[in-house]
Amino acid sequence: MDVDLREEDAEAHVHGVCFKTGPPERVGVELEWLVHDSADPRSPVPVDRLDALLSSIDTHTFTHGGAITREPGGQIELSAPPGIGVAECVAQTAVDLEALRRISAEHGLVLVGSGLEPLHSPARVLDHPRYRAMEAHFDRAGPWGRVMMRSTASAQVNLDAGERGAGVGGYHHRWQLAHRLGPVLVAAFANSPIHRGAVTGWRSTRQAVWYWTDPGRTRPPEHHSDPGLAWARYALDAPVLCIRRSEQADWAAPQGLTFRAWLRGVPGLPRPNRDDLDYHLTTLFPPVRPRGWLELRMIDAQPGDGWQVAAAAAAALLDDPAAADCAYEATEPYCRGRTLPDHSVWLRAARLGPADPEIGKAVRTCLAAAESALGRSAGTEALRRRLAEFIEQYAEQGRCPADDQLDALRRGVRGARPKEGRP
């Protein structure tokens, strides 16, 4: 175990473990789901029923090795092993997801694909010291952290970091393109316009909540020509969220302490070692997170099997060279000569979705490029058709799945009014 971890050693370690290079070919997904009572969706599901569901799942072996975890607000996450290409990933994950849905139905529960709990405010059901410290840390900045922990759900897509060297397959270019595409993916698949029964005024309230939660760990890093160095600096300058101790102890970290300051020494606090650094990396939540691969964390959970379309679009736009070139050019108008989009672009995408004229144009161009790319790949015809239907139903109309939620609310509640300002 390291005792004296120097800053330069910490930066080198972060660079090495977070950007593992190689030909981009694997695709994985991590799907979070809200859990509702199938007979009474407006009532929070008691923790004992969630425990019973998880106990039942623990006795089940998923065909393709999917792993189940529970999030702080009772959300259920299915993490699937990566497949070689998006078609294999989707096919394998769909089998395990069908089993998860069947087991949930046997318990009178249903998995809901929405980026934000629309009906109520769940309690925190995990009492691990990590989550107690996390909640206390976020509470210092406002209510957003609690909402993020307890009420949000995503459809995360995982892609290889890329190769060494230049070109669209290189990890430098893929890192940049993933960030440039971030607002496109936020807007196209926005699906969280309602919270506690009220319209928030945002198509992706989930993205806005993450944006406001803790800027040093939930917003993108600043651009640097070396993504590894940019990420290492971001990680070391991020506030320490918690410090591991015994499970009976308080894991709270001193307020305002960054990992870099901890490395330099804090009176009364042992210096961090490499294990502490690795754990710290798990507490960083930007929209693109490198963990040896690239986690695309900006996509709201999707209704039904809409996650398949989101995964297919994201993988095609990063992995197909022609689609990647098209996407880079399509995002140039809102990047305005910058390598990465400004924070304001992410917020516009979250507020307006594809109804924003500039972002909507990029959405339509990028999704069309993704559809063409799927047409060039083996085994992706069904995904191509689903993406074409999505484009016709949503992107070409300036709509996103959030608009379906809004339409349903307005049919059922006359005079629904949006909240103003922050969600």
Side-chain angles (χ1 to χ4, degrees):
M1 180 178 292
D2 298 300
V3 176
D4 294 319
L5 184 63
R6 299 176 301 174
E7 286 183 54
E8 55 267 35
D9 296 330
E11 287 192 355
H13 178 70
V14 172
H15 194 304
V17 301
C18 292
F19 287 91
K20 291 183 170 63
T21 55
E25 57 180 7
R26 296 172 303 168
V27 179
V29 293
E30 297 177 33
L31 306 176
E32 293 176 335
W33 302 91
L34 307 174
V35 182
H36 284 183
D37 185 318
S38 55
D40 185 13
R42 292 190 172 276
S43 296
V45 177
V47 67
D48 59 334
R49 293 187 64 191
L50 292 172
D51 290 341
L53 171 62
L54 288 172
S55 296
S56 178
I57 291 171
D58 286 342
T59 66
H60 183 90
T61 301
F62 289 102
T63 302
H64 294 290
I68 301 297
T69 53
R70 173 165 46 177
E71 296 301 308
Q75 311 95 314
I76 298 295
E77 179 180 291
L78 171 64
S79 301
I84 303 301
V86 70
E88 181 177 278
C89 165
V90 166
Q92 293 181 355
T93 305
V95 172
D96 287 352
L97 177 57
E98 183 58 33
L100 176 59
R101 285 171 168 158
R102 175 180 53 77
I103 297 170
S104 299
E106 292 171 356
H107 286 262
L109 301 173
V110 61
L111 304 181
V112 176
S114 176
L116 185 68
E117 170 54 61
L119 301 177
H120 48 76
S121 296
R124 176 166 56 84
V125 300
L126 296 181
D127 196 38
H128 190 277
R130 169 187 171 107
Y131 297 108
R132 293 197 297 269
M134 180 183 293
E135 194 166 81
H137 173 87
F138 290 145
D139 281 350
R140 296 167 184 156
W144 322 117
R146 288 192 177 216
V147 176
M148 177 272 286
M149 291 173 64
R150 302 178 182 191
S151 298
T152 63
S154 69
Q156 180 176 302
V157 182
N158 300 328
L159 302 169
D160 284 324
E163 301 175 288
R164 292 191 178 276
V168 294
Y171 77 93
H172 287 74
H173 190 276
R174 286 170 66 81
W175 172 258
Q176 293 175 10
L177 182 57
H179 284 87
R180 292 171 72 101
L181 279 171
V184 164
L185 297 173
V186 168
F189 299 104
N191 188 38
S192 51
I194 301 167
H195 185 46
R196 293 187 293 190
V199 178
T200 65
W202 298 75
R203 292 302 193 271
S204 178
T205 313
R206 173 188 167 274
Q207 179 63 32
V209 165
W210 279 88
Y211 179 90
W212 295 118
T213 292
D214 188 0
R217 67 173 12 91
T218 61
R219 298 184 190 179
E222 295 297 324
H223 170 65
H224 190 281
S225 58
D226 181 351
L229 184 56
W231 178 246
R233 290 176 176 175
Y234 179 96
L236 298 192
D237 290 332
V240 177
L241 189 148
C242 59
I243 297 176
R244 292 176 300 163
R245 301 179 177 95
S246 73
E247 291 206 8
Q248 292 71 41
D250 183 1
W251 286 25
Q255 185 171 355
L257 175 68
T258 66
F259 200 91
R260 190 181 302 280
W262 191 12
L263 286 168
R264 292 175 179 175
V266 178
L269 191 64
R271 289 180 183 269
N273 56 49
R274 192 164 294 177
D275 289 342
D276 293 317
L277 176 55
D278 286 338
Y279 193 82
H280 174 66
L281 294 175
T282 71
T283 71
L284 306 179
F285 311 115
V288 181
R289 182 168 70 171
R291 298 193 63 194
W293 58 92
L294 300 182
E295 295 179 344
L296 307 188
R297 303 171 55 87
M298 73 290 291
I299 303 171
D300 282 354
Q302 298 295 290
D305 287 327
W307 62 272
Q308 298 183 9
V309 176
L317 289 167
L318 268 293
D319 290 352
D320 182 271
D325 282 342
C326 180
Y328 199 95
E329 183 177 348
T331 55
E332 183 59 33
Y334 62 61
C335 287
R336 290 174 169 75
R338 295 165 53 97
T339 303
L340 305 182
D342 184 79
H343 293 308
S344 64
V345 181
W346 291 86
L347 288 177
R348 280 167 47 205
R351 182 180 287 278
L352 299 173
D356 179 272
E358 191 171 58
I359 296 173
K361 183 178 180 180
V363 166
R364 291 187 292 275
T365 301
C366 289
L367 293 189
E371 183 192 354
S372 296
L374 292 172
R376 294 189 289 270
S377 300
T380 57
E381 180 56 31
L383 290 174
R384 188 199 66 78
R385 287 197 302 270
R386 292 184 192 132
L387 177 55
E389 293 168 359
F390 183 93
I391 292 171
E392 181 178 3
Q393 181 179 356
Y394 294 112
E396 290 183 354
Q397 309 300 321
R399 290 173 58 89
C400 54
D403 291 295
D404 292 344
Q405 288 198 40
L406 293 172
D407 290 347
L409 181 68
R410 288 162 182 156
R411 285 194 299 268
V413 183
R414 290 188 177 184
R417 293 289 184 268
K419 298 176 183 178
E420 297 298 329
R422 294 185 181 184

